[in-house]
Amino acid sequence: IVFKDELISAIHIANKRGGYDENDKILIETIASLIAPYLYNKLEKDKSKKLQKRTAEKLLNAAENWKTTFDAIEDLVGLISPDCEFVEVNKAMCDFTGLSPAELKGRKCYEVIHGTDIPIANCPVSKAKQSLKSEVSEIFQDGNYYAVSAAPVIGENGRITGFTHIVKDITDQKIAEQTLKVERDRAQQYLKIAEVMMLALDTEGQVVMINKKGCNILGYEEQEIIGKNWFDLCIPPETTREVKIVFDNLIHGNYDP
């Protein structure tokens, strides 16, 4: 059976003795032409249903994969409306707040996260509403430091339809930075009061730090020395090669005292 130049089925007849004549052929062709449109429509509907089923399965799998990925993110992630209401949240957000996705949906993010009636002063969402671009704020709350970001989702009409809101705990990073600053300030103080020349070189022999006494001895201002090659600037040419060899051996751990 052919319909719209497409072979869609076949009629099989095998119950007549003595074979078939031209009239039988005409009858079979007539029957085929009559049932072809109905059969074609039935096949197309079946194809459409199968396609819809496959599409639905793919969308379901994609949604499940997206949710799995969403929940695997360790940072607190929420999709919020232009009015700062939670629309979707990941598992980390639920764990942090102690609330389920259903309990969070529709709640104001600042009420849940900060316990306030209005957005906080440094709210990245408020800033993103004005700038129409991603904004990041550093927030200290309950003894921890957080990097809080908000990225606007812009619709086809150019208006904000929501925000991607991410909260990352950076407490360990901030403590490390503060500890490093204390150590650096202490070292800098030692350098200032030391009555001997002290300096530090990188692996290429460039000066990265020098104390005041060193500047006085060499007769340079600090900015004239920092970033310069120590061997080219301060070592006599006749000993540069020998001193450079010792330095390279020290850098590569090959020096035997």
Side-chain angles (χ1 to χ4, degrees):
I1 301 175
V2 177
F3 189 76
K4 292 186 177 182
D5 297 323
E6 180 182 350
L7 178 64
I8 60 174
S9 187
I11 296 177
H12 182 65
I13 300 176
N15 63 346
K16 183 178 181 182
R17 296 178 179 178
Y20 297 90
D21 55 24
E22 188 66 25
N23 289 332
D24 293 325
K25 179 182 178 183
I26 293 173
L27 178 61
I28 293 171
E29 290 177 347
T30 301
I31 294 173
S33 65
L34 289 174
I35 66 173
Y38 301 101
L39 184 59
Y40 179 83
N41 288 335
K42 176 65 168 60
L43 292 173
E44 287 299 304
K45 287 181 179 178
D46 289 345
K47 287 180 182 178
S48 178
K49 288 181 180 179
K50 289 180 181 178
L51 179 60
Q52 290 175 0
K53 183 179 179 181
R54 286 197 299 268
T55 301
E57 289 174 348
K58 288 181 179 178
L59 289 173
L60 180 60
N61 289 335
E64 290 176 347
N65 291 336
W66 177 85
K67 182 62 176 173
T68 300
T69 302
F70 194 45
D71 284 338
I73 300 173
E74 294 182 356
D75 297 335
L76 282 60
V77 184
L79 305 180
I80 61 176
S81 71
D83 295 326
C84 299
E85 295 174 344
F86 283 115
V87 177
E88 290 287 348
V89 294
N90 71 341
K91 184 176 182 299
M93 183 70 78
C94 294
D95 292 342
F96 180 82
T97 60
L99 300 173
S100 69
E103 291 172 321
L104 284 170
K105 286 181 181 179
R107 296 277 301 275
K108 301 287 188 182
C109 61
Y110 49 81
E111 292 178 354
V112 175
I113 301 298
H114 308 296
T116 59
D117 295 329
I118 58 174
I120 61 175
N122 200 27
C123 176
V125 176
S126 299
K127 294 192 291 186
K129 284 182 179 181
Q130 300 297 322
S131 67
L132 299 182
K133 63 180 183 180
S134 297
E135 297 285 352
V136 180
S137 297
E138 222 174 76
I139 295 171
F140 181 74
Q141 180 174 308
D142 299 329
N144 290 316
Y145 292 91
Y146 300 95
V148 185
S149 65
V153 179
I154 309 297
E156 293 181 358
N157 58 2
R159 301 181 65 180
I160 293 176
T161 60
F163 298 89
T164 301
H165 200 14
I166 301 175
V167 180
K168 183 179 183 65
D169 190 330
I170 58 170
T171 304
D172 290 343
Q173 175 187 330
K174 293 297 292 184
I175 291 174
E177 289 175 357
Q178 292 169 359
T179 301
L180 180 62
K181 183 179 184 303
V182 170
E183 294 298 328
R184 185 175 61 243
D185 292 347
R186 182 183 295 130
Q188 193 63 41
Q189 188 63 28
Y190 289 156
L191 286 172
K192 287 180 180 179
I193 64 176
E195 287 301 316
V196 295
M197 182 171 68
M198 300 178 66
L199 73 153
L201 309 179
D202 64 14
T203 56
E204 299 299 321
Q206 293 182 333
V207 180
V208 295
M209 181 184 69
I210 187 168
N211 66 344
K212 185 176 181 181
K213 186 68 174 181
C215 293
N216 293 338
I217 292 173
L218 296 172
Y220 288 108
E221 295 294 330
E222 183 179 5
Q223 62 270 22
E224 295 178 293
I225 302 176
I226 298 298
K228 299 295 193 304
N229 186 280
W230 170 253
F231 306 101
D232 295 340
L233 183 67
C234 299
I235 303 300
E238 61 272 17
T239 60
T240 298
R241 183 175 179 278
E242 180 181 352
V243 175
K244 186 68 165 61
I245 291 173
V246 174
F247 175 79
D248 289 338
N249 284 332
L250 284 170
I251 290 297
H252 294 92
N254 299 326
Y255 184 73
D256 185 15

